[in-house]
Amino acid sequence: MSAAQIVLAVILFVAAVILAFFGIRQLQCKGYCFNNAYIYASKEERETMYLRPYYKQSGVVFLMLACLFLLNGLRIVFDIKALLYVSFVLIAAIIVYAVVSSIRIEKNK
């Protein structure tokens, strides 16, 4: 394994830990809500929003991204080509989850 691969793997593992930390904090409904619906809402709308579904959506996406970064780091370390395809499936799952959960949140308003 080259030095560049080691550095890249370390960066990916650190990013996975940071994303997992933010994902857990979001699921606990703590900290800033990293959700577009909240970020782009006016100050008046933010005061009346029920934030639990937005925190949950953001938390799940952060945790799925943490898994993606972890998989890519493992792929580099162990040189397993099949993990690339697993990563593609996980990316598709993240996108589908984000769209479907956004629709469900808007439907339940």
Side-chain angles (χ1 to χ4, degrees):
M1 184 182 316
S2 70
Q5 288 175 320
I6 293 171
V7 170
L8 183 58
V10 168
I11 291 170
L12 288 170
F13 290 139
V14 169
V17 169
I18 292 169
L19 287 167
F21 172 77
F22 280 118
I24 291 168
R25 295 276 297 170
Q26 291 291 294
L27 289 175
Q28 294 173 341
C29 295
K30 294 183 179 179
Y32 186 77
C33 183
F34 293 106
N35 192 294
N36 282 341
Y38 180 77
I39 293 171
Y40 292 122
S42 67
K43 189 170 186 170
E44 296 81 27
E45 289 174 328
R46 287 182 183 180
E47 292 171 359
T48 61
M49 287 176 81
Y50 178 62
L51 294 178
R52 179 86 177 133
Y54 299 111
Y55 271 116
K56 180 183 176 190
Q57 180 187 36
S58 297
V60 170
V61 169
F62 274 122
L63 289 175
M64 291 173 85
L65 286 172
C67 290
L68 179 66
F69 276 67
L70 180 66
L71 272 176
N72 284 319
L74 292 173
R75 183 177 61 86
I76 291 171
V77 170
F78 296 113
D79 196 30
I80 302 171
K81 305 292 184 204
L83 289 181
L84 179 64
Y85 302 112
V86 176
S87 295
F88 290 148
V89 171
L90 188 54
I91 290 169
I94 293 169
I95 293 169
V96 168
Y97 174 78
V99 171
V100 170
S101 64
S102 293
I103 292 169
R104 290 184 69 192
I105 290 171
E106 289 300 317
K107 188 177 174 182
N108 290 334
K109 276 187 176 180

